[in-house]
């Protein structure tokens, strides 16, 4: 054996669960309710706008921060939906998906040894990004049945070394949407301890019960928040990888500083199209949400009918179940068996936890699929477990 080639900062990160489970879905011809991507594309007119941009010559490097039309559209969107005012020239940055915005924010703001608090279960790239920056991940666990934030636990998690809270709401994988009291408590802690919030709000338009409030809109928080979102979820174009970050100039400069050496710029022909998409009428956004709510209810009713304990999500396009009623104490074992046994793929929560026992029996199912696909998946599950 030669010496190890892989740098130790990647120790334990392995292959992302989404790649593993999607490959398994293909290999077993399973219905993929694992990785979160819709099986219906976004608006045809927005696809046509990309084609027109390609034919119109948007084929070379766009400006580093993003084309002016898209930065203006992002600022207009945030004003329209959140009452937030961002200067498109100094406070808006276009990125390669929210994934890059989060990575650039962590790399641009976190020093080695800084502690970063994240709600557990946490989206898998958070752990990787914090590790790449040499930071220390400090999880605060959300627990079933309602996955509310335990504000006392959050307060206890803050130390002298805490630099930032990496806050995801609406929350993947639980579907929890932080409420006014929870957001106010987080804001109070941030002001008291001079913390920055990296706010991952990619599911901002996918809220079925209650409302999504950006933490940036709370008093004193705009100055210390990097607000991140993405066209992937809002417009059902996850493969285009157009995301963005909005923040006051000093914070945004840190994110931009890292982004320019990660990808330099992002997808030229997609940018004018997403600028158009952001200006779609309110009915686009409410129709998307209402359609997904119906599919949430379809999948929830079907899974509950199989005897699973279902935790109804207020937002996102994921729902969580406890799989112990099907005879599986361990969601990882369940998800490894499921494609072979039933021809369906789901995602085990456990991979999103430091506290493995807390996530062990929980499994996430994506419902951003056509009703007939959900029906077929439920039929397969009923044949196996019914
Ligand atoms: N954050 C969360 C919570 C997500 O679920 C995802 C998955 N799309 C991302 C970030 C990454 O978004 P993008 O595909 O725009 O990179
Ligand atoms: N965000 C998607 C999910 O949570 C997957 C994105 C990815 O594969 N990295 O399922």
């Amino acid at each position: 054996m030669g010496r190890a080639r892989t740098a130790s900062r990647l120790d334990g990160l392995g292959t992302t669960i989404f790649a593993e489970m999607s490959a398994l879905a293909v290999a077993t011809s399973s219905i993929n309710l694992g990785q979160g991507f819709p099986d219906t594309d976004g608006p045809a007119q927005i696809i046509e706008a990309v084609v027109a941009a390609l034919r119109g010559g948007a084929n070379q490097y766009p400006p580093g921060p993003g084309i002016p039309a898209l930065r203006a559209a992002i600022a207009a969107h945030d004003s329209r939906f959140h009452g937030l005012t961002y200067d498109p020239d100094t406070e808006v940055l276009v990125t390669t998906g929210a994934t890059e915005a989060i990575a650039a924010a962590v790399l641009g703001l976190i020093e080695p040894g800084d502690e970063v608090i994240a709600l557990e279960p946490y989206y898998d790239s958070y752990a990787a990004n914090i590790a790449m920056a040499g930071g220390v991940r400090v999880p605060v666990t959300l627990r079933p049945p309602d996955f509310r934030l335990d504000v006392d636990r959050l307060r206890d998690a803050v130390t002298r070394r805490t630099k930032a809270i990496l806050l995801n709401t609406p929350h993947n994988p639980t579907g929890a949407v932080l409420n006014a009291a929870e957001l106010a408590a987080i804001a109070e802690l941030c002001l008291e301890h001079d913390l920055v919030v990296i706010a991952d709000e990619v599911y901002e338009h996918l809220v079925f019960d209650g409302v999504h409030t950006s933490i940036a809109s709370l008093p004193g928080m705009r100055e210390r928040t990097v607000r991140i979102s993405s066209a992937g979820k809002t417009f059902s174009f996850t493969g285009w990888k157009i995301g963005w970050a909005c923040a006051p100039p000093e914070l945004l400069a840190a994110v931009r500083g890292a982004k320019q050496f990660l990808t330099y710029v992002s997808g030229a022909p997609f940018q004018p199209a997403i600028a158009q998409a952001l200006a779609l009428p309110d009915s686009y956004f409410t129709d998307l949400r209402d359609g997904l709510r119906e599919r949430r209810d379809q999948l929830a009713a079907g899974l509950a009918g199989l005897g699973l304990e279902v935790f109804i999500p207020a937002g996102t396009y994921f729902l969580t179940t406890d799989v112990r009623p099907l005879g599986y104490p361990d969601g990882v074992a369940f998800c490894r068996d499921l494609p072979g046994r039933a021809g369906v793929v789901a995602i085990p929560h456990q991979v999103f936890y430091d506290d493995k026992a807390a996530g062990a029996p929980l499994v996430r199912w994506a419902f951003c699929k056509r009703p007939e696909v959900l029906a077929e998946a439920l039929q397969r599950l009923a044949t196996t477990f019914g």
Side-chain angles (χ1 to χ4, degrees):
M1 287 287 283
R3 61 191 174 135
R5 298 292 184 200
T6 303
S8 58
R9 74 175 72 85
L10 297 187
D11 278 354
L13 296 176
T15 302
T16 142
I17 190 72
F18 304 115
E20 182 188 339
M21 287 297 167
S22 284
L24 199 55
V26 171
T28 57
S29 302
S30 290
I31 296 179
N32 191 351
L33 304 186
Q35 193 176 32
F37 61 90
D39 63 357
T40 306
D41 287 340
Q45 83 217 63
I46 305 303
I47 295 177
E48 289 310 317
V50 177
V51 174
L54 285 165
R55 295 222 163 96
N59 298 305
Q60 310 305 331
Y61 296 126
I67 64 168
L70 178 53
R71 283 185 278 119
I74 293 166
H77 167 277
D78 281 18
S79 160
R80 172 178 161 199
F81 289 103
H82 301 292
L84 287 163
T85 307
Y86 289 108
D87 177 346
D89 290 331
T90 57
E91 299 185 320
V92 179
L93 175 71
V94 176
T95 58
T96 302
T99 305
E100 189 195 33
I102 297 160
V106 171
L107 290 170
L109 294 166
I110 301 305
E111 299 279 4
D114 283 349
E115 292 178 3
V116 181
I117 295 174
L119 306 183
E120 175 180 81
Y122 43 77
Y123 185 60
D124 67 347
S125 76
Y126 299 178
N129 293 157
I130 294 167
M132 287 173 193
V136 178
R137 173 177 82 241
V138 179
V140 173
T141 308
L142 307 178
R143 294 178 193 278
D146 53 9
F147 299 107
R148 299 283 23 127
L149 175 64
D150 183 335
V151 172
D152 293 329
R153 296 294 299 272
L154 178 68
R155 191 171 293 117
D156 290 346
V158 178
T159 74
R160 280 188 306 107
R161 289 179 302 282
T162 308
K163 177 75 175 287
I165 301 181
L166 214 173
L167 189 69
N168 174 217
T169 184
H171 182 258
N172 178 8
T174 66
V177 178
L178 292 180
N179 61 32
E182 290 163 330
L183 290 170
I186 297 166
E188 193 187 311
L189 274 176
C190 291
L191 295 173
E192 188 183 331
H193 297 277
D194 192 21
L195 309 180
V196 167
V197 175
I198 300 169
D200 176 350
E201 303 184 1
V202 297
Y203 298 101
E204 61 183 309
H205 288 288
L206 309 187
V207 176
F208 317 114
D209 306 319
V211 288
H212 167 66
T213 303
S214 176
I215 188 130
S217 64
L218 271 69
M221 289 307 293
R222 183 189 180 285
E223 296 78 67
R224 53 183 68 248
T225 300
V226 179
R227 194 183 106 72
I228 291 169
S229 195
S230 164
K233 311 295 166 183
T234 300
F235 302 111
S236 301
F237 292 125
T238 60
W240 292 7
K241 297 298 292 186
I242 296 293
W244 49 86
C246 297
E250 191 194 353
L251 286 179
L252 197 78
V255 185
R256 195 170 49 228
K259 185 252 162 30
Q260 65 182 333
F261 297 117
L262 290 171
T263 55
Y264 178 47
V265 292
S266 306
F270 302 114
Q271 294 197 29
I274 297 301
Q276 277 190 37
L278 285 163
L280 286 168
D282 287 359
S283 57
Y284 167 77
F285 299 88
T286 48
D287 288 353
L288 175 75
R289 182 195 64 201
D290 293 347
L292 278 168
R293 183 192 284 115
E294 278 175 27
R295 284 176 279 155
R296 173 195 69 171
D297 294 344
Q298 178 190 357
L299 186 62
L303 293 175
L306 293 170
L308 286 159
E309 188 178 1
V310 177
F311 307 109
I312 304 287
T316 78
Y317 42 48
F318 306 112
L319 66 74
T320 294
T321 56
D322 187 322
V323 293
R324 280 175 291 193
L326 296 186
Y328 280 89
D330 176 14
V332 173
F334 175 80
C335 290
R336 292 229 160 93
D337 283 0
L338 195 60
R341 287 193 65 188
V344 176
V345 161
I347 298 284
H349 264 229
Q350 199 180 71
V351 296
F352 308 123
Y353 287 78
D354 286 354
D355 179 356
K356 298 292 179 201
L362 304 177
V363 166
R364 188 194 84 173
W365 311 77
F367 53 83
C368 47
K369 309 292 172 182
R370 283 167 288 140
E372 59 272 28
V373 173
L374 295 178
E376 168 66 18
L378 288 167
Q379 182 58 47
R380 291 184 185 191
L381 292 166
T383 305
T384 309
F385 297 106

